[in-house]
Amino acid sequence: MGKTKKSVKLNDIYNSSEQLSHVDPADLMPLPKPLNGPASEWKPLKAEAREKYEATLDDTLLLNIPKPGSVQEEKELVRRFLVGVEKLFTKTNNWGFYQPLMATMEHCARCQTCSDACHIYEASGRNDIYRPTYRSETLRRIYYDYIKTNGKYHSTWKSGGDIPLNWKAVTRLAELAYRCNICRRCAQTCPIGADNALVAREIRKIMSQELNIYTSELHERGSMLQLKVGSSTGMNPEIVKDNIEFIDEDISEKTGMNLKTVWDKKGADILLIHNAGEIMAWPENIGAFNAIFTAAGLDWTMSSEALAYDNINYGLFYDDFQYARVVLKHAAVAKNLGVKRIVLGECGHATKALMVIADRVLTGDLNIPRESCFPLLRDLVKTKTLKLDPSRNNFPVTLHDPCNLVRLMGIVMPQREVVREICPQFREMTPHGVNNYCCGGGSGFAIHSGHNFEDWRFKISGRKKVSQILGAFQDSIEPETKKYVCAPCSNCKGQIRDLIAHYDLWNNAGITYGGLVELIVNAMVDVKPNYIDWNEIV
């Protein structure tokens, strides 16, 4: 694959005609036992992909940006990019994120504290291009050279000179924005509050809104499909209702309860919105919510209207317009039903999108109360509304902290209080809470697998999480002891599922995963035992 190149200067993103950087498996952060051997190679990017697309950033490819066919196309790409940059730094065009972006551009001290906090930088063997500041410094140079001083070099920039922007720098910067999980651990640790993860997201936004550069997983097969059909999974309302009716029947038999989803109830206390991916991949999570809400006697409903049963909002990761379109539809459904509040199921980014960022979009009678499911679940457990037997969960359990819920929203304790109450062998990861590390699937990575990107997210972006999981279970790492990673987020579950499969952690260490509500139902004394059935895990 070539000689390892760790020392990458800012100028290189403009000038280098060869691949900017390479990560050698020997450089990767070591993992605990039983994965404490040498890291394996990942499959190389195919020659035809390198020929067709701009693929000179690193060892993988995600965006599929065609190489310009002429000098005019190169110039037009740069021009449109600069139009987008200018909009980023205009309050009327970027009123939602202008202030924190400006603070980051103007006040970063380049101390590299953020690099030490970044799981991708650490896991890669401290490769320079994965520093949070590398993409931020590149954008900062463009901002000072082309926007703030109307094209004149800004005297405060001391790190490389006034280099003309070219198409290769733009396309590399676009790809580099998709080497960040946007977990914002860097922002939390920054002594002056600079948010380099936000910079990655804003670069993605320029690419999508001005150049139509995005991943198909987030756009065509994500937010566009959701808006057109009603779900990012492609399920329309009829299919969703049929699937949930089947889930109701299956979970009723499994639990011994009589479960029936309440659809389209006007004036209900709760409108429950799931990540539609749960319906297909983790129906036991959907069923567990039904069992808990039924046993607790809650007044709840689901909506069969298109998009109202799918709480995802991929626009959060790459495009403000797509984000707002989804938010407005969610709020309109709740308004039409006249529900008192929206409760979001186990999905971190969906919760942040509709609870926090939506406050900038929803006004008037669309600003319906919205909340995470976790405080509600905590209250049901702590008030003894549910009859629970913790001995049913007497196996090692650790808790993954979804970035969007914990670090970015402060929902730290409710899920913890539940797990401590019902799991006698609970142990924390190190670190945990707001200092957690991303699962490596954040910002949409968990649904991306094109070319050899899966290898990159398993071996680099997900590496720190694998290390944390194994570290939490080192006292019982033998595969004979069955262990459970509680991952209360659909996106995180998808990534952790894939990590477990990639590293064969079920056979190597007896590790499986699931959500929080499954643990609650597994402990409910009024249901049949073994809701979590180790014999069903393969």
Side-chain angles (χ1 to χ4, degrees), residues 516-535:
L516 179 66
V517 288
E518 291 96 313
L519 285 170
I520 295 174
V521 175
N522 199 57
M524 289 170 59
V525 299
D526 293 333
V527 307
K528 295 178 182 178
N530 300 320
Y531 191 75
I532 298 173
D533 189 347
W534 304 108
N535 294 320

Side-chain angles (χ1 to χ4, degrees), residues 456-472:
W456 189 88
R457 71 176 170 96
F458 295 156
K459 291 181 169 64
I460 295 184
S461 71
R463 196 172 193 82
K464 191 70 176 181
K465 184 53 59 178
V466 171
S467 179
Q468 282 192 287
I469 291 171
L470 292 175

Side-chain angles (χ1 to χ4, degrees), residues 67-224:
K67 295 179 180 179
S70 66
V71 172
Q72 185 57 39
E73 286 184 12
E74 294 175 6
K75 290 181 177 179
E76 179 63 9
L77 189 151
V78 173
R79 185 194 69 79
R80 290 168 61 192
F81 172 71
L82 287 175
V83 168
V85 175
E86 186 170 23
K87 288 180 180 178
L88 280 190
F89 295 102
T90 307
K91 185 179 292 188
T92 54
N93 286 312
N94 195 23
W95 56 268
F97 301 98
Y98 173 81
Q99 188 174 13
L101 180 63
M102 284 298 298
T104 301
M105 286 292 104
E106 299 280 1
H107 301 298
C108 174
R110 305 165 180 85
C111 66
Q112 302 305 326
T113 303
C114 58
S115 295
D116 292 335
C118 178
H119 61 289
I120 291 175
Y121 176 64
E122 180 182 354
S124 70
R126 300 183 175 270
N127 189 289
D128 281 341
I129 67 165
Y130 300 138
R131 289 181 184 273
T133 52
Y134 191 90
R135 68 185 72 87
S136 298
E137 290 290 352
T138 301
L139 184 65
R140 184 176 291 108
R141 174 182 295 194
I142 294 167
Y143 163 64
Y144 277 122
D145 281 4
Y146 291 90
I147 306 302
K148 184 169 183 179
T149 58
N150 297 316
K152 295 181 180 179
Y153 177 65
H154 193 270
S155 61
T156 60
W157 180 264
K158 304 294 186 183
S159 302
D162 190 10
I163 298 176
L165 185 62
N166 57 40
W167 73 271
K168 186 154 285 195
V170 172
T171 54
R172 283 173 170 167
L173 189 60
E175 193 75 37
L176 190 55
Y178 285 89
R179 299 296 186 272
C180 171
N181 282 130
I182 315 183
C183 76
R184 287 199 165 99
R185 203 170 189 269
C186 58
Q188 176 178 274
T189 197
C190 177
I192 58 174
D195 191 343
N196 288 305
L198 174 65
V199 173
R201 193 268 179 184
E202 294 296 272
I203 293 170
R204 294 184 183 189
K205 183 167 75 181
I206 295 174
M207 300 303 169
S208 176
Q209 295 180 183
E210 302 298 330
L211 289 92
N212 295 323
I213 293 173
Y214 35 64
T215 69
S216 61
E217 290 90 344
L218 291 180
H219 192 67
E220 291 97 347
R221 290 183 278 154
S223 63
M224 289 300 294

Side-chain angles (χ1 to χ4, degrees), residues 162 244 337 348 451 507:
D162 190 10
I244 290 187
L337 278 177
H451 299 293
N507 290 315

Side-chain angles (χ1 to χ4, degrees), residues 181-188 195 197 316-317 348-349 352 356-357 401-412 433-434 436:
N181 282 130
I182 315 183
C183 76
R184 287 199 165 99
R185 203 170 189 269
C186 58
Q188 176 178 274
D195 191 343
L316 184 72
F317 300 142
H349 90 268
K352 186 182 76 170
V356 179
I357 311 297
D401 290 296
C403 303
N404 283 302
L405 285 166
V406 178
R407 179 164 39 257
L408 302 181
M409 294 185 65
I411 304 175
V412 181
V434 296
N436 76 311

